[in-house]
Amino acid sequence: MNQTAINLIAISVFLMTLSTLLGPLIHLHPTIPALTIVGFLGIATLDNFSLQGKGGTIVLDWVARFSPEYRSRILHHEAGHFLVAQLLGIPVTSYTLSAWGAWKLGQAGQGGVILEDSEIAKHLERGKIGISMVERYCNIWMAGIAAENLVFKSAEGGSDDRAKLNQFFQALGFEEKIFEQKQRFYLLQAKNLLKDNWYSYEALVEAMRKGISVEECQKAIGLVRKPSLS
């Protein structure tokens, strides 16, 4: 059973316990928590066997979005991906700041940035990919975690990013024992890129907070000078 389904079941157990304790005090009809719990368990079962974790991620994301810090973390995380991609010459074609939006774009996670990946696709078709291309994509994948670390001093997201990076390393023939070392290297690279372009990053965060188009976000980046973060 995937972790998302386990989390949904844990929520169901919590709701069951809470309704047992508080139901009589607030005159809550027993069928209301029962139906809610059945709904969560049903989603967990469907998610585990049919949706590969995406359905549960959407539900958990909806619940978590009541937290301003959670929403802020996703915003800053995705802005990190966006800015580093632009700096490294990989155009962004779309972005979203919710699990539902990510699902509609065919991505996992609580948000996502869609890249124009025709260039790397051509390299992969030829069976040959240059070190420059490898470097760029590895930096982009670690940029969300780097942004969270810079803003919040810790990262809660990024498990999907690390998984993509590890799959990439595996496809390139690297041994699993050096995956973590390479993650740390590219995390540092991404962090330095963000620090060197901090004002642009802050402008991009505000632009994405408004939900404006990719083109307008790119203009926001371009209009800002680039003093480094001390």
Side-chain angles (χ1 to χ4, degrees), residues 23-211:
L25 298 176
I26 61 176
H27 306 292
L28 183 67
H29 196 283
T31 59
I32 295 176
L35 289 174
T36 304
I37 292 163
V38 168
F40 270 99
L41 291 175
I43 292 170
T45 302
L46 177 64
D47 184 62
N48 188 50
F49 291 105
S50 303
L51 300 178
Q52 293 80 48
K54 294 180 182 177
T57 298
I58 292 170
V59 173
L60 293 175
D61 176 71
W62 178 80
V63 173
R65 294 187 75 80
F66 288 99
S67 164
E69 181 181 335
Y70 175 84
R71 296 194 302 271
S72 183
R73 279 184 177 272
I74 291 176
L75 169 63
H76 285 86
H77 184 105
E78 299 306 332
H81 288 307
F82 194 132
L83 180 60
V84 170
Q86 291 296 139
L87 292 172
L88 297 180
I90 307 294
V92 173
T93 62
S94 184
Y95 73 91
T96 180
L97 302 176
S98 70
W100 174 246
W103 180 78
K104 290 193 291 184
L105 293 174
Q107 289 200 330
Q110 289 82 21
V113 169
I114 307 299
L115 306 176
E116 169 50 62
D117 57 3
S118 58
E119 185 178 356
I120 193 172
K122 291 177 183 177
H123 283 266
L124 292 173
E125 285 177 6
R126 293 197 298 264
K128 185 178 180 180
I129 183 168
I131 186 64
S132 173
M133 185 67 68
V134 171
E135 293 276 335
R136 283 191 280 173
Y137 271 86
C138 290
N139 281 316
I140 293 167
W141 281 324
M142 294 307 291
I145 298 172
E148 279 197 68
N149 280 328
L150 286 170
V151 176
F152 301 99
K153 311 305 179 187
S154 66
E156 294 183 1
S159 58
D160 291 328
D161 299 325
R162 292 183 188 275
K164 286 179 186 176
L165 195 63
N166 288 344
Q167 290 171 2
F168 196 50
F169 292 151
Q170 188 174 26
L172 293 174
F174 290 110
E175 295 183 9
E176 188 173 349
K177 63 183 180 182
I178 67 169
F179 285 3
E180 188 174 344
Q181 175 187 342
K182 285 193 165 293
Q183 283 183 10
R184 289 197 300 269
F185 173 77
Y186 289 113
L187 177 62
L188 179 60
Q189 294 270 81
K191 187 179 291 186
N192 287 337
L193 279 170
L194 291 171
K195 290 169 71 175
D196 289 343
N197 296 274
W198 194 249
Y199 280 21
S200 292
Y201 173 72
E202 290 183 322
L204 178 59
V205 166
E206 291 309 309
M208 292 175 69
R209 193 191 305 275
K210 298 173 184 174

